[in-house]
Amino acid sequence: MSAQEQPILLETDPGRYRHWRLEIGGETARLVWDVREDQPLRPGYTLKLNSYDLGVDIELADAVQRLRFEHPEVKAIAIVSGKDRVFSAGANIHMLGMSSHGFKVNFCKYTNETRLAIEDASAHSGQRYLAACNGIAAGGGYELALACDEILLVDDGNSAVSLPEVPLLGVLPGTGGLTRLVDKRRVRRDHADIFCTLAEGIRGQRALDWRLVDAVAPKSRFNDLIKEHLERLVATAPVRLGPGVPLPPLSVEAGADRLDYSSLRVAIDRKGRTATLVVHGPEDEPPGDAAALRAAGAGIWHLRMFRELDDALCRLRFNEPEIGLLILKTVGDPDRVARHEAALAEMAAADWFAGEIILMMARTLRRLDVTARSMFALVEPGSCFVGSLLEIALAADRSYALDDPGKLVTILLTRLNFGALPMGHGLSRLQLRRLHDPESLAPLEEQVEAGDAPRFDAGAALRAGLLTVAADDLDFKDEVRLAIEERASMSPDALTGMEASLRFPGAESSETKIFGRLSAWQNWIFQRPNAVGDQGALKCYGKPVRPAFDWRRT
Amino acid sequence: MSAQEQPILLETDPGRYRHWRLEIGGETARLVWDVREDQPLRPGYTLKLNSYDLGVDIELADAVQRLRFEHPEVKAIAIVSGKDRVFSAGANIHMLGMSSHGFKVNFCKYTNETRLAIEDASAHSGQRYLAACNGIAAGGGYELALACDEILLVDDGNSAVSLPEVPLLGVLPGTGGLTRLVDKRRVRRDHADIFCTLAEGIRGQRALDWRLVDAVAPKSRFNDLIKEHLERLVATAPVRLGPGVPLPPLSVEAGADRLDYSSLRVAIDRKGRTATLVVHGPEDEPPGDAAALRAAGAGIWHLRMFRELDDALCRLRFNEPEIGLLILKTVGDPDRVARHEAALAEMAAADWFAGEIILMMARTLRRLDVTARSMFALVEPGSCFVGSLLEIALAADRSYALDDPGKLVTILLTRLNFGALPMGHGLSRLQLRRLHDPESLAPLEEQVEAGDAPRFDAGAALRAGLLTVAADDLDFKDEVRLAIEERASMSPDALTGMEASLRFPGAESSETKIFGRLSAWQNWIFQRPNAVGDQGALKCYGKPVRPAFDWRRT
């Protein structure tokens, strides 16, 4: 997937879905996957048996997002297969076998983020998910089921759930499967060991006994079972008043070296291997109440801008692999951003739409946290690193500010900095700045809550630990230029490993274990000849040869 | 490092140290590293500037262990350099550059375990460590300092602490450095980012400001500073009454396909790629009191056997890379093991030596947990999976028991199963069996505490979740044979990644982050051409060529 190929586009909508159908029926919905074999994202493989590629997952991610914004009345969603006797065969092996290392890693990261978005919708938006496995749910197919609140399996003597990656392919079920088995579903680790090495998987009562599924029923009763469980899930979900807010296509103009969105400009410097992202603050004042917010809909600055940032991050990951450093800037009126943040935080207490906007911002920031590119924030005069935009600087590996009496920068905290935009391990980015002195945050939060947020100039922000480096007008440019050049000269792999280790101090969660432990192991395996060599298991799959392994273990 | 080469031996003693001196002085000790350039473990590189290889680390591990058993009166240890103006240049680059992937991974794992043993000694044995950096402490040199309770740095305008792996070598500081920086020392992650990309490191006051060191002093005051800090550390340590217990060499007879210790037999089946470890229970009754325990010294069964197991695990890791499956068995009288365990647990409340034995057992079991080989426990008639030996079965990926009315097996819990032998993330192996129902352990613990430990036969143990599979006489052999053959046929890399993901459900700690997140990333990088290719950074180091990188990131 080089930049020369057709770029991968992440936007879609139900009218354009090729592999999924979103069927809304009052408080419940059905998300029907019926993957078209002949519609792979790239030519070269067919998507048999509901196996999936990135194109399939892009539609799923879109559906999950739209359900939250456009269909707030939906409380429970059944993921069902449109194919007879097969739920899903998982990620398409032939696609994996022919993909570059980088694409495989990025594919897994994106699909992981989609599954986490499902869990996020359940946890925070009251939209519960149920996987109705009407047949074999193998590999990534079962991993999608694991991301749901409940897993139902038809008991027909044949249908099984399985994670056959290790025995058949010599790779891991890397879309969260191993972590969710033992951490989320609390399957015993010795049972999980058997399950993950059993190519044919586990059926019926034993799948239930081992906590691999939540209910089984014969084929004749399966639709009733789905209905019962959907009703039960509906009963646990909060009421959210519609109507929904449509998410129109993003406004974006893409050039060879740039992406211009309405509130975000991305400029790519291929020679320097950097991309500069400039976020533009709001031009209008915030809506006065929830009705005005609803009237603004997806045009409201926060939602529009974070959707744009999310899209840009995915495009950079997939289409610009050699861009190693993201330079993050903002332009705008800090006080106006603060007013927008205050209004949004205020409305979120009672209005689901305002809440959804904040949840979407949080997901985008978490996408930023696990983006395997170096990130420097540049805090310059005219910038507006305030609240959620300050989170961008706090997510960066470093921040540099111009500290000059004649050209002041203003940094402001808002209520959103104190827990509303958590990282994947549950801590706020502000907490990470004060791990050595956690109590010191309480007075700051009190000030912000009292409407008396301190105004930090560069020097004060530096002293408060909000910035990494502050330099005066004479030194700023040189210092930044040198830092960028140095960063761009280092081993991209070493930087990826280093950043993945430094960005998540403190606790780990199931989510960060998926990215930090499971994915790191999978990345290792994705390099190894035992998987991807000419005689590796992933390469040999489906051919009449057996893989040849180098048996040395560590 | 193939089996054809001379095997690596892990045992040593102070009389044989080549690189370290252990100087005992009452309540304090000095551990002086003065690495002999001309004494590498393997020919082909010189150990300049206190750089280290496995041979150096084996001596350090030995010294840390001996201090706990042989010198209980020591409360604080200063790690000092025997070289002028250099603390340590870290792991030897040329050794890393010429090592196989597997050796590099195993070397890092072992050195990590040594550093964790230092922290374990401080946390549980009241032996505090201080790193006295009299000069440059680079890479692994600084990582050793990070494992100490305190880091002192001479302030001479030149001496610095540094982690130059990323900028100079294209690999990670993988001996816990990245994790300890942000998790243990709570260095701010943006400061850590600058520090880890700054080849020359950070000196003096700035190192102090950024929490990289705990105190600095000019050269003239440095010895006084060490003395002051040692005294302060001594004051925080508990009193432990000597005399110490000498650790004599292990009794081991090594053949081509076997290792015979006093209470452990290891038989290697190269064709099947398995090793069978048979632990023999005690032959004598337990000592009646702490004085009798002291008289038995290192000959006491628990200590002797776990030292043997520890040695065997390290030998298998380094010398038998193709052995992919460890088959774990026990032979002995279950009730006698239970009596030994009860006596040891009882004495540990008041006797430091009994306590040290349990701590050493816990470390060995944690070494087992992170051993990257599959492990099956076989529970057969005549076995004694009781207490700490049951932990071996609980550490295994699976356990198989013969369930036959005429050939009963007996499994017993002891007090040691309830938290005294924790895994690296702090949970007990028994807790992992009941993560879905944690309250169910309390009644079991009460029974054991009351001296009324339930006797489990195979069926009861299966129902209690202590075993994975129980099979009758007709099926047992076939089922086990098939499981072993299947396991031995799967990709060793996929199994390593799978086991590393399934063995640690629940919480993560700094320790498990080091093995699960940091090491996994390092293993990935250790494969990548950007590090180990002909033009990779690790290969080019010290040569008059610059590395050439593939710039693609994921």
Side-chain angles (χ1 to χ4, degrees):
Chain A
M1 303 282 154
S2 75
Q4 283 69 51
E5 293 182 46
Q6 200 69 353
I8 290 174
L9 300 181
L10 286 300
E11 274 201 279
T12 186
D13 60 68
R16 290 191 283 160
Y17 289 177
R18 289 169 295 183
H19 308 295
W20 291 88
R21 291 195 308 276
L22 177 53
E23 302 174 351
I24 307 292
E27 291 187 315
T28 65
R30 278 160 43 102
L31 203 40
V32 185
W33 57 343
D34 193 358
V35 175
R36 283 189 57 176
E37 289 192 11
D38 60 346
Q39 294 276 325
L41 187 67
R42 304 277 194 200
Y45 53 91
T46 52
L47 295 171
K48 295 198 175 152
L49 298 171
N50 265 4
S51 65
Y52 63 86
D53 66 358
L54 181 65
V56 178
D57 220 69
I58 286 171
E59 294 180 9
L60 174 60
D62 182 76
V64 173
Q65 177 100 306
R66 277 181 204 282
L67 276 161
R68 299 173 80 163
F69 282 103
E70 301 188 352
H71 305 284
E73 73 284 4
V74 170
K75 296 176 170 180
I77 298 108
I79 298 183
V80 302
S81 166
K83 306 219 185 286
D84 196 31
R85 290 195 299 181
V86 61
F87 183 69
S88 165
N92 189 275
I93 310 306
H94 303 289
M95 176 276 294
L96 287 175
M98 61 190 270
S99 295
S100 69
H101 176 70
F103 181 79
K104 278 199 288 289
V105 170
N106 268 322
F107 168 71
C108 288
K109 187 176 282 182
Y110 184 88
T111 55
N112 268 315
E113 289 169 323
T114 303
R115 278 132 201 81
L116 289 164
I118 288 174
E119 292 178 323
D120 190 61
S122 172
H124 301 296
S125 300
Q127 291 191 329
R128 317 273 185 237
Y129 279 79
L130 176 159
C133 302
N134 63 315
I136 191 90
Y142 180 55
E143 287 181 299
L144 175 57
L146 285 168
C148 297
D149 296 281
E150 298 204 348
I151 306 175
L152 312 184
L153 177 63
V154 75
D155 189 5
D156 58 4
N158 187 49
S159 296
V161 295
S162 67
L163 292 175
E165 284 85 348
V166 171
L168 289 188
L169 305 171
V171 300
L172 301 184
T175 314
L178 299 179
T179 305
R180 284 202 179 84
L181 267 187
V182 293
D183 273 24
K184 179 182 181 182
R185 295 195 62 92
R186 306 196 169 187
V187 172
R188 254 173 50 197
R189 49 163 287 221
D190 54 338
H191 288 160
D193 182 87
I194 291 183
F195 175 61
C196 296
T197 52
L198 207 58
E200 67 270 29
I202 292 183
R203 288 169 295 158
Q205 186 62 38
R206 197 184 192 194
L208 195 58
D209 290 343
W210 283 15
R211 312 172 56 83
L212 298 168
V213 303
D214 296 290
V216 297
K219 207 169 172 184
S220 59
R221 277 243 320 122
F222 198 59
N223 279 331
D224 290 342
L225 186 74
I226 297 173
K227 201 159 159 280
E228 283 162 34
H229 278 258
L230 273 182
E231 280 166 11
R232 229 191 292 165
L233 288 173
V234 163
T236 69
V239 173
R240 300 201 306 171
L241 294 177
V245 176
L247 298 177
L250 298 177
S251 145
V252 54
E253 218 179 274
D257 298 328
R258 61 189 180 79
L259 290 168
D260 289 337
Y261 299 89
S262 72
S263 287
L264 172 68
R265 306 270 184 283
V266 181
I268 290 169
D269 171 2
R270 288 184 207 290
K271 197 159 155 286
R273 293 192 304 280
T274 65
T276 302
L277 285 74
V278 183
V279 173
H280 292 253
E283 296 186 352
D284 304 319
E285 287 304 302
D289 55 23
L293 178 73
R294 200 65 54 95
I300 193 78
W301 174 77
H302 268 112
L303 177 55
R304 184 164 41 85
M305 193 279 288
F306 272 94
R307 283 181 72 208
E308 292 170 355
L309 179 59
D310 201 51
D311 187 67
L313 289 176
C314 291
R315 287 188 189 228
L316 287 167
R317 283 189 194 168
F318 282 111
N319 302 325
E320 301 291 346
E322 293 206 353
I323 300 304
L325 175 63
L326 309 186
I327 297 165
L328 307 169
K329 300 188 185 191
T330 56
V331 175
D333 175 351
D335 291 296
R336 189 181 293 144
V337 176
R339 288 193 293 275
H340 271 260
E341 300 253 319
L344 190 65
E346 180 78 30
M347 286 187 274
D351 183 69
W352 68 262
F353 176 48
E356 278 302 333
I357 294 172
I358 294 172
L359 290 165
M360 191 273 157
M361 291 159 58
R363 288 196 297 282
T364 302
L365 289 165
R366 289 198 290 272
R367 176 111 69 190
L368 191 64
D369 290 330
V370 296
T371 292
R373 312 294 169 94
S374 299
M375 299 186 279
F376 289 175
L378 298 191
V379 182
E380 297 168 316
S383 67
C384 52
F385 283 100
V386 173
S388 61
L389 299 190
L390 178 60
E391 292 290 319
I392 294 175
L394 294 173
D397 299 299
R398 307 177 186 175
S399 51
Y400 288 85
L402 180 69
D403 185 15
D404 196 275
K407 302 170 182 174
L408 280 183
V409 303
T410 301
I411 289 173
L412 296 170
L413 295 168
T414 72
R415 287 166 65 187
L416 298 189
N417 295 116
F418 294 88
L421 304 167
M423 296 179 68
H425 61 352
L427 300 181
S428 72
R429 293 173 192 82
L430 209 51
Q431 283 178 301
L432 291 204
R433 299 279 150 160
R434 302 281 181 95
L435 278 182
H436 60 287
D437 185 16
E439 288 79 25
S440 65
L441 282 178
L444 271 180
E445 187 169 8
E446 278 164 32
Q447 278 184 280
V448 170
E449 283 293 333
D452 184 29
R455 298 181 78 82
F456 296 100
D457 64 13
L462 186 76
R463 289 188 296 278
L466 302 177
L467 293 174
T468 316
V469 176
D472 64 23
D473 213 3
L474 280 177
D475 294 335
F476 181 76
K477 261 196 167 157
D478 277 351
E479 184 147 355
V480 167
R481 183 182 52 75
L482 206 67
I484 290 172
E485 282 174 13
E486 276 180 0
R487 193 70 162 206
S489 75
M490 290 180 200
S491 163
D493 305 331
L495 289 173
T496 292
M498 182 190 89
E499 290 154 7
S501 294
L502 296 180
R503 287 181 185 171
F504 295 90
E508 293 259 11
S509 66
S510 189
E511 173 168 340
T512 58
K513 280 171 86 170
I514 286 171
F515 291 114
R517 178 182 276 267
L518 177 56
S519 295
W521 280 110
Q522 179 78 303
N523 291 0
W524 177 69
I525 292 162
F526 273 162
Q527 284 280 303
R528 299 273 290 169
N530 283 342
V532 296
D534 285 339
Q535 297 187 285
L538 196 54
K539 290 280 187 191
C540 289
Y541 183 75
K543 295 180 190 162
V545 288
R546 287 176 59 87
F549 293 130
D550 172 349
W551 293 109
R552 285 175 295 175
R553 293 190 65 167
T554 55
Chain B
M1 302 281 152
S2 77
Q4 283 69 51
E5 293 182 46
Q6 199 70 355
I8 290 175
L9 301 180
L10 287 300
E11 272 203 281
T12 186
D13 61 68
R16 290 192 283 160
Y17 290 176
R18 290 170 294 184
H19 307 295
W20 292 87
R21 292 195 307 277
L22 177 52
E23 302 174 352
I24 308 291
E27 292 185 317
T28 65
R30 278 160 44 101
L31 204 40
V32 185
W33 58 344
D34 193 359
V35 175
R36 283 189 57 176
E37 288 192 11
D38 59 345
Q39 295 277 324
L41 187 67
R42 304 277 193 200
Y45 53 90
T46 53
L47 295 171
K48 294 197 176 156
L49 299 171
N50 264 3
S51 65
Y52 63 87
D53 68 358
L54 181 65
V56 177
D57 220 70
I58 287 171
E59 294 181 8
L60 174 60
D62 183 76
V64 173
Q65 178 100 305
R66 277 181 204 283
L67 276 161
R68 299 174 79 162
F69 281 103
E70 301 188 352
H71 304 284
E73 73 284 4
V74 169
K75 296 177 170 179
I77 298 107
I79 298 183
V80 302
S81 166
K83 307 222 185 284
D84 197 28
R85 290 195 295 184
V86 61
F87 184 69
S88 165
N92 189 275
I93 311 306
H94 303 289
M95 176 276 294
L96 287 176
M98 62 192 268
S99 295
S100 69
H101 176 70
F103 181 79
K104 277 200 289 286
V105 169
N106 268 321
F107 168 72
C108 288
K109 187 176 283 183
Y110 184 88
T111 56
N112 267 316
E113 288 168 324
T114 304
R115 278 132 202 83
L116 288 165
I118 288 175
E119 293 178 324
D120 190 62
S122 172
H124 301 297
S125 300
Q127 293 191 327
R128 317 273 185 237
Y129 280 78
L130 175 160
C133 303
N134 63 316
I136 191 89
Y142 180 56
E143 287 182 299
L144 176 57
L146 285 168
C148 296
D149 296 280
E150 297 203 348
I151 306 175
L152 312 183
L153 176 64
V154 75
D155 189 6
D156 58 3
N158 187 47
S159 295
V161 294
S162 67
L163 292 176
E165 283 84 350
V166 171
L168 289 188
L169 305 170
V171 300
L172 300 185
T175 315
L178 298 179
T179 305
R180 285 202 179 83
L181 267 188
V182 292
D183 272 24
K184 179 183 181 182
R185 297 195 60 92
R186 306 196 169 188
V187 172
R188 253 172 50 196
R189 48 163 288 220
D190 54 337
H191 288 159
D193 182 86
I194 291 183
F195 175 61
C196 296
T197 52
L198 207 59
E200 68 269 28
I202 291 183
R203 289 170 293 157
Q205 186 63 38
R206 197 185 191 194
L208 194 58
D209 291 344
W210 283 16
R211 312 171 57 84
L212 299 167
V213 303
D214 296 290
V216 297
K219 207 171 172 183
S220 59
R221 277 243 321 121
F222 197 59
N223 280 331
D224 290 343
L225 186 74
I226 297 172
K227 204 160 158 280
E228 283 163 34
H229 279 257
L230 274 182
E231 281 166 11
R232 230 190 291 165
L233 289 172
V234 163
T236 70
V239 173
R240 300 201 307 172
L241 294 177
V245 176
L247 299 177
L250 298 177
S251 147
V252 55
E253 218 178 273
D257 297 327
R258 62 190 181 81
L259 290 168
D260 289 337
Y261 300 88
S262 72
S263 287
L264 172 68
R265 308 270 184 280
V266 181
I268 290 169
D269 172 3
R270 288 184 207 289
K271 196 160 158 285
R273 292 193 304 280
T274 65
T276 302
L277 285 74
V278 183
V279 173
H280 291 254
E283 297 186 351
D284 304 320
E285 288 303 304
D289 56 24
L293 178 72
R294 200 65 54 96
I300 193 76
W301 174 76
H302 268 112
L303 178 55
R304 184 164 42 84
M305 192 280 288
F306 272 93
R307 283 181 72 208
E308 292 170 354
L309 179 59
D310 201 51
D311 189 66
L313 289 175
C314 291
R315 287 188 189 228
L316 287 167
R317 283 190 194 168
F318 283 110
N319 302 325
E320 301 291 347
E322 293 206 355
I323 301 304
L325 175 63
L326 309 185
I327 298 165
L328 307 169
K329 300 188 184 192
T330 57
V331 175
D333 176 352
D335 291 295
R336 189 181 293 143
V337 176
R339 289 193 293 276
H340 271 259
E341 300 253 319
L344 191 65
E346 180 79 29
M347 286 187 274
D351 182 68
W352 68 262
F353 176 49
E356 278 301 333
I357 294 172
I358 294 172
L359 290 165
M360 191 272 156
M361 292 158 58
R363 288 195 296 284
T364 302
L365 289 165
R366 289 198 290 271
R367 175 109 73 189
L368 192 63
D369 291 328
V370 296
T371 292
R373 312 294 169 94
S374 299
M375 300 186 278
F376 289 175
L378 298 191
V379 182
E380 297 167 316
S383 67
C384 54
F385 283 99
V386 173
S388 61
L389 298 190
L390 178 59
E391 293 290 320
I392 293 174
L394 294 173
D397 299 298
R398 307 176 186 176
S399 52
Y400 288 85
L402 181 69
D403 185 14
D404 197 276
K407 302 168 182 175
L408 281 183
V409 303
T410 301
I411 288 174
L412 296 170
L413 296 168
T414 72
R415 287 167 63 188
L416 297 189
N417 295 115
F418 294 88
L421 304 167
M423 296 179 69
H425 60 351
L427 300 181
S428 74
R429 292 173 193 80
L430 210 50
Q431 284 178 301
L432 291 204
R433 298 280 150 160
R434 301 282 180 96
L435 278 182
H436 59 287
D437 184 16
E439 288 77 26
S440 66
L441 282 178
L444 272 180
E445 187 169 9
E446 277 164 32
Q447 279 184 280
V448 171
E449 284 293 332
D452 184 29
R455 298 181 79 82
F456 298 99
D457 63 13
L462 186 76
R463 288 187 296 278
L466 302 176
L467 293 173
T468 316
V469 176
D472 65 22
D473 213 2
L474 279 177
D475 294 334
F476 181 76
K477 261 196 167 158
D478 277 350
E479 183 148 356
V480 168
R481 184 183 51 76
L482 206 67
I484 290 172
E485 283 175 12
E486 276 180 358
R487 193 72 162 203
S489 73
M490 289 180 200
S491 162
D493 305 330
L495 289 173
T496 292
M498 182 190 88
E499 290 154 7
S501 294
L502 295 180
R503 287 182 186 170
F504 295 90
E508 293 260 9
S509 65
S510 190
E511 174 168 338
T512 57
K513 279 171 87 171
I514 287 171
F515 290 114
R517 179 182 275 266
L518 178 56
S519 295
W521 281 109
Q522 179 77 305
N523 291 0
W524 177 68
I525 293 163
F526 274 161
Q527 285 280 304
R528 298 274 290 169
N530 283 342
V532 296
D534 285 341
Q535 296 187 286
L538 196 56
K539 289 282 185 190
C540 289
Y541 183 75
K543 295 180 190 161
V545 287
R546 289 175 58 87
F549 292 131
D550 172 348
W551 293 111
R552 284 174 297 174
R553 293 189 67 166
T554 56

